Amino acid sequence: MLGASRSFAMLVLCATLASAQQSGDPRAAALVSTSWLADHLRDPDLVLLHVGDTAEYRAEHLPGARYVSLQDIAVTDRSTPNGLTLELPPAADLHDRLAAPGIGDRSRIVVYYGKDWISPSTRVMFTLDYAGLGARSALLDGGMQRWKREGHPVTADVPAPQRGDLSTLHTRSLVVDADWVRAHSGKPHVAIVDARDTVFYKGIRTGGRPGAEHRTGHIAGAHSVYFATLFDSTNALKPSQELRALFSAAGVQPGDTVVTYCHIGQQASATLFAARVLGHPVLLYDGSFEDWSRRTELPVEKP
């Protein structure tokens, strides 16, 4: 009886996603509402991931949520001068990192952000999609702040560790490098999109960290869609019509493959998420401007 109940709960848990996928609505597949989550919060195969400040998580989080940081799902190489920040781990390593917070083969994963941690959350979402788990993953629209505003419960209770039973990952080809970007820049139906604040895109400010500053400007030929403009004042993703207008104004055409980058590949994941919601094929230049900037043979534009 227990096995039958568990199987039925899993079917119920995935019903909304399956319906969205069959209807061809990428927004409905990528996002869940607070009301949906409230109805499914106790489902046995739900894995709820909190992305935010650790002190915030210890103080309050959604019932049953497990904490995940970018360090949990990415690697940073400081061993060499050209080591990159926030890169995807090898598949075997990533498998173990994803299984650690309880993700398994039966899991339905919902990611949410505390306060305004939008781009770290979309980076987690991208990582799940890259790992082949995107069809079973969704972002809570509006995050914990919307959840609280609507009167849903929060808790300080931390669930006991529970490693997931996760099969070998079959990663997806969603990441490109500098050579790919250079070869495809300006090609029809490919839009290279800079997700950084426009002050970096325009060359008003220079990114990077002290002693490892980036070049000033942006990848030659790139469009500008600042990730923060895609979310409203409550940190919810803007309606698809508004998103489409923002991408169109930047020069992105319907059906274009959208290739995003930022400083290190975090903010780019938020712009990529919005493009995915609009139905664009999406790719991430994971090395982003940190990598491009170090390659002095690659062109940079400064308006």
Side-chain angles (χ1 to χ4, degrees), residues 119-181:
S119 63
S121 299
T122 53
R123 177 70 192 207
V124 174
M125 284 291 296
F126 172 79
T127 303
L128 292 167
D129 197 17
Y130 168 80
L133 304 175
R136 294 191 281 117
S137 306
L139 185 70
L140 178 63
D141 200 15
M144 186 169 73
Q145 298 309 304
R146 172 177 283 183
W147 177 267
K148 290 172 60 180
R149 283 197 308 273
E150 295 177 355
H152 298 297
V154 293
T155 182
D157 295 338
V158 176
Q162 182 178 355
R163 186 174 182 82
D165 184 9
L166 184 62
S167 298
T168 301
L169 298 181
H170 298 285
T171 58
R172 302 181 62 210
S173 299
L174 297 176
V175 178
V176 296
D177 60 14
D179 290 337
W180 192 101
V181 173

Side-chain angles (χ1 to χ4, degrees), residues 64-206:
R66 302 175 187 279
Y67 181 77
V68 62
S69 71
L70 292 182
Q71 290 71 35
D72 293 329
I73 51 94
V75 294
T76 294
D77 181 8
R78 292 282 181 262
S79 63
T80 68
N82 292 325
L84 296 174
T85 307
L86 202 67
E87 296 293 287
L88 287 163
D93 183 13
L94 181 59
H95 168 275
D96 292 343
R97 291 166 181 261
L98 294 178
I103 296 174
D105 292 340
R106 302 172 60 88
S107 299
R108 174 73 167 99
I109 309 153
V110 174
V111 178
Y112 74 90
Y113 39 87
K115 295 183 181 177
D116 59 350
W117 285 56
I118 295 171
S119 63
S121 299
T122 53
R123 177 70 192 207
V124 174
M125 284 291 296
F126 172 79
T127 303
L128 292 167
D129 197 17
Y130 168 80
L133 304 175
R136 294 191 281 117
S137 306
L139 185 70
L140 178 63
D141 200 15
M144 186 169 73
Q145 298 309 304
R146 172 177 283 183
W147 177 267
K148 290 172 60 180
R149 283 197 308 273
E150 295 177 355
H152 298 297
V154 293
T155 182
D157 295 338
V158 176
Q162 182 178 355
R163 186 174 182 82
D165 184 9
L166 184 62
S167 298
T168 301
L169 298 181
H170 298 285
T171 58
R172 302 181 62 210
S173 299
L174 297 176
V175 178
V176 296
D177 60 14
D179 290 337
W180 192 101
V181 173
R182 176 169 55 178
H184 290 81
S185 180
K187 294 292 181 67
H189 312 303
V190 175
I192 311 300
V193 175
D194 189 322
R196 301 173 300 166
D197 192 322
T198 53
V199 296
F200 297 103
Y201 177 83
K202 294 178 178 179
I204 298 170
R205 290 181 59 190
T206 299

